[in-house]
Structures are given as C-alpha cells and as structure tokens.
Amino acid sequence: MSFHEIRFPANLSFGSVGGPERHTDVVTLANGYEERNTPWAHSRRRYDAGIAMRGLDDIETLIAFFEARQGQIHGFRWKDWSDYKSGPALAEPDYRDQIIAIGDDVTASFQLAKTYRSGDHSYRRPITKPVIGTVRLGLSGDEQQEGVHFEVDTTTGIVTFAHPPNAGLQITAGFEFDVPVRFDTDRIQTSVASFQAGDVPNVPVVEVRV
C-alpha cells in the first residue's frame, strides 16, 4: 500500500467525528456465560470528514485532496484533535510524558508509543506518524537533543540514539502525532443546493496499519 506523507487539512478535520474501534467476538454459552476474544492487538480509528465542511471552498479542498489520493489507493496523515499529544491535551509535549523503553547497552532504536491507563490496566499504542519538530526524548530525567543525541524517522515513529543508552536508563518521550488513514470510500457525492440547505457529504476515513 502506498502512503503519502501529507496531512489532511487540519482545519477541516477539526470538527470531524470519530474515535477508536475494537473488534470483539462474543460467544454466549448454553449456561448464559460469555466467552470474549479479539483478533486485534490494537484498536482502529474511524472518522467522518464530511461533518467538518463549512463552505463550498472546503468542499473544493476536500475533492482536490480526495482526487490526489486516488480515493482509497493512497494513505495519508490525519490529525485527531481529541488525541494528538503524548501528554495532557492542554499541555505542550514534555520529554517525560511517556516511558517508551529501558536501555540495555545494545539497542539504539526504539518505537515511539503512548500508554493509556485506567486503574490497574493499560494499553500501549505504537506511534508511527510523529509530527516533525515535536519529538523530545529524555534519558533518566536528562533531556536529549535531536540531531546530536538522537534522530527521528517521522515516517515510522522510530527514534535512534547516536549511542545505545546504558543498561537500566529509563527512555522517555514527548511528541505530537498523526493517525495514518485512508478514505473508506471511492465516491464523494456533493450537491451545492443540499449543502447550502445544511446537508453535508459523508466522507468516511479509516486508520491503516503501517
């Protein structure tokens, strides 16, 4: 699958609706108990880009972006305004936001990740599309400098240190990130008259694995 490293216009995704989706197989046994299982290790996000359209200029921008991606063929970046930072929504990313690994004297490359916690349980989400210029790293409380101590591959979310971190050092990170997505349709239907009457096009977008 081809992926275009371009973000869907952020001003158009601002008013979109969407979020994470899980796939759960539920089997009800004869005694009334349930067995639940899932083939997915990670959630998948879905959005509707059409809801955010505010004028005919937005529709024109949407169609141009859709055509350049050739419908469902090429993936692209999407800013999920409800979840695009490593830390609190109203705070700037801090290099202490997330623990992504522990040094072992050997490994130099690490995948960025965000951990979601609730009570005693947590979910670790790989981050594959960090936003350029926002990634900050730390080693046991000491902030590192990009271009000197580490490099970031913003197409994969992998950070690589100039030298493998010492064994036992806590590797932390802060960042902003996009979601890799594609259009979930090969057709966009619009009507000037309907749009002016308050009817918005349906433009489904779905997360892709990269």
Side-chain angles (χ1 to χ4, degrees):
M1 180 199 73
S2 175
F3 191 91
H4 292 177
E5 291 292 338
I6 184 173
R7 177 193 275 175
F8 186 83
N11 63 311
L12 299 188
S13 66
F14 181 74
S16 63
V17 174
E21 171 191 50
R22 288 282 180 172
H23 179 72
T24 307
D25 296 322
V26 181
V27 177
T28 302
L29 305 178
N31 58 9
Y33 287 93
E34 292 182 344
E35 289 187 355
R36 296 183 295 274
N37 195 18
T38 177
W40 291 7
H42 302 289
S43 56
R44 191 182 197 190
R45 283 157 172 77
R46 291 183 178 273
Y47 307 95
D48 186 351
I51 296 176
M53 301 297 109
R54 300 175 183 84
L56 296 180
D57 287 343
D58 290 347
I59 296 294
E60 182 180 2
T61 299
L62 168 66
I63 292 175
F65 193 92
F66 179 85
E67 292 285 22
R69 308 287 88 71
Q70 298 181 39
Q72 300 185 70
I73 292 294
H74 302 292
F76 54 92
R77 287 171 172 258
W78 174 275
K79 183 171 184 175
D80 181 347
W81 285 90
S82 65
D83 184 8
Y84 70 96
K85 294 181 180 180
S86 55
L90 299 181
E92 291 299 315
D94 186 275
Y95 70 92
R96 295 160 293 194
D97 283 343
Q98 300 289 326
I99 300 173
I100 63 171
I102 301 295
D104 60 5
D105 282 329
V106 177
T107 307
S109 296
F110 304 90
Q111 179 71 58
L112 290 176
K114 179 176 181 178
T115 300
Y116 299 79
R117 293 184 177 84
S118 177
D120 296 331
H121 301 276
S122 64
Y123 161 65
R124 182 180 172 89
R125 175 187 179 186
I127 299 299
T128 59
K129 298 296 178 184
V131 176
I132 188 170
T134 69
V135 178
R136 302 174 64 185
L137 294 185
L139 289 178
S140 289
D142 294 326
E143 185 168 11
Q144 307 297 291
Q145 184 176 346
E146 183 178 356
V148 176
H149 302 113
F150 70 92
E151 299 290 345
V152 182
D153 186 342
T154 55
T155 67
T156 63
I158 293 176
V159 295
T160 302
F161 286 91
H163 303 286
N166 294 337
L169 288 186
Q170 195 175 76
I171 304 165
T172 58
F175 44 82
E176 291 185 7
F177 60 94
D178 292 325
V179 182
V181 300
R182 64 167 172 81
F183 288 109
D184 197 24
T185 181
D186 274 326
R187 176 177 62 186
I188 292 181
Q189 292 183 307
T190 60
S191 165
V192 173
S194 296
F195 185 78
Q196 291 177 336
D199 189 19
V200 296
N202 179 36
V203 188
V205 174
V206 62
E207 184 176 4
V208 296
R209 311 292 192 203
V210 296

